[in-house]
Amino acid sequence: QNKEQAMKVLKSRLYEMKLQEQEEASGEERRNKIGTGDRAEKIRTYNYPQNRVTDHRIGFTLQKLDRIIEGDIDAGGLYCGSVSMWTAGNITVENVYNKVNITNGGRTGGILGYGETDTVATFINCRNDGNIKATDIIGGIAGYVRDDSVTITDCVNYGNFETENYAAGIIGRFGKNEAVAPDSVVTITGCVNYGKIVSAKSQTAGILGFLVGKAVITNCENHGEIVNNNGFSGGIFGMSRKPDYACSI
């Protein structure tokens, strides 16, 4: 009888120990997922009284919270993108999905608006569903990258664009007017455009609008309508300025 009682007590204690271990492990996993709530862990701040939204990951603040909540970005500036309006250096964007419409006066992209000289940009599995209206260059993933290199893989655009300048479903323009470094290249693989691209007076295409440099475009598709009133246009590629560089499709 004493042995039975001892076994019951032992089983009860072992069960409690196991349950406590499981609760501690579950609590640790939950804390790792939700964080501590410290200010350093913040991703965005929405300030309704000041109509301001701040993305702490990229250090970007916009005084148009009401428009963003309604699903409409009106930047009214020189550069605009849902993740980054401007960058110089290395940027990697993966698994990003933009759903908001964008209205802007300058270079605009569904993900990145403008990449300065010596930019190395990589986009993987990104998607733009937002409609974009601008007066300057538009791209569904990137608006305009001057150089050094861009790699865009498995990205899709469903947004409709309207501009007076270069426009394309994936990247509006790559390469600056001046001499481009020989190793500057944009590589686009497995990308698709479904959006309608409209330009009033410049180069327009489903994948890449205007090129000053080298481009390699592989396994890409365009299903969208291309409308160009006064410039070169193509289902995949619009125009290359420098004959000594190549676009390989």
Side-chain angles (χ1 to χ4, degrees):
Q1 187 176 3
N2 289 340
K3 184 178 180 181
E4 274 184 34
Q5 187 65 26
M7 289 300 295
K8 286 182 181 179
V9 172
L10 179 60
K11 286 181 180 179
S12 175
R13 289 179 178 175
L14 289 174
Y15 174 77
E16 289 177 357
M17 289 174 59
K18 188 65 176 177
L19 185 62
Q20 184 176 357
E21 288 177 1
Q22 291 177 348
E23 289 177 348
E24 289 177 353
S26 176
E28 180 66 23
E29 183 180 0
R30 183 172 181 273
R31 282 190 295 273
N32 290 336
K33 287 182 177 179
I34 67 174
T36 62
D38 293 342
R39 292 180 64 85
E41 293 185 335
K42 289 194 301 182
I43 294 175
R44 293 191 187 92
T45 296
Y46 297 91
N47 189 317
Y48 286 89
Q50 297 182 14
N51 197 33
R52 184 183 75 231
V53 58
T54 298
D55 192 315
H56 300 282
R57 297 168 298 179
I58 60 174
F60 177 58
T61 297
L62 197 62
Q63 300 285 149
K64 297 185 179 184
L65 176 59
D66 55 339
R67 301 291 296 274
I68 292 173
I69 294 300
E70 292 296 323
D72 186 13
I73 296 179
D74 180 357
L78 183 56
Y79 315 125
C80 186
S82 66
V83 170
S84 179
M85 62 177 183
W86 176 90
T87 188
N90 295 352
I91 180 172
T92 298
V93 185
E94 188 169 359
N95 301 323
V96 170
Y97 183 2
N98 174 52
K99 300 181 181 181
V100 300
N101 299 324
I102 302 175
T103 303
N104 186 39
R107 296 157 186 173
T108 309
I111 307 299
L112 169 67
Y114 177 59
E116 227 338 323
T117 301
D118 298 326
T119 292
V120 178
T122 302
F123 303 91
I124 303 171
N125 194 34
C126 294
R127 172 172 163 173
N128 174 64
D129 280 8
N131 298 323
I132 301 176
K133 185 175 182 179
T135 58
D136 206 341
I137 304 169
I138 295 178
I141 302 302
Y144 175 21
V145 180
R146 288 171 62 87
D147 68 14
D148 181 25
S149 69
V150 178
T151 302
I152 307 176
T153 306
D154 297 333
C155 294
V156 183
N157 173 65
Y158 285 92
N160 299 318
F161 305 155
E162 183 179 346
T163 183
E164 299 177 4
N165 210 324
Y166 313 118
I170 301 301
I171 177 168
R173 171 174 174 167
F174 176 78
K176 55 192 176 182
N177 290 330
E178 312 91 88
V180 179
D183 56 350
S184 291
V185 60
V186 53
T187 304
I188 308 171
T189 307
C191 295
V192 184
N193 172 63
Y194 293 96
K196 180 178 180 179
I197 315 296
V198 179
S199 175
K201 57 181 180 181
S202 203
Q203 283 59 265
T204 315
I207 301 299
L208 170 61
F210 184 61
L211 173 68
V212 185
K214 297 179 181 178
V216 178
I217 304 173
T218 308
N219 296 329
C220 293
E221 300 178 14
N222 174 58
H223 299 268
E225 181 182 0
I226 307 298
V227 180
N228 189 335
N229 296 327
N230 187 24
F232 297 96
S233 61
I236 299 296
F237 174 57
M239 174 187 172
S240 177
R241 169 170 288 179
K242 290 185 174 292
D244 51 335
Y245 289 111
C247 177
S248 176
I249 300 176

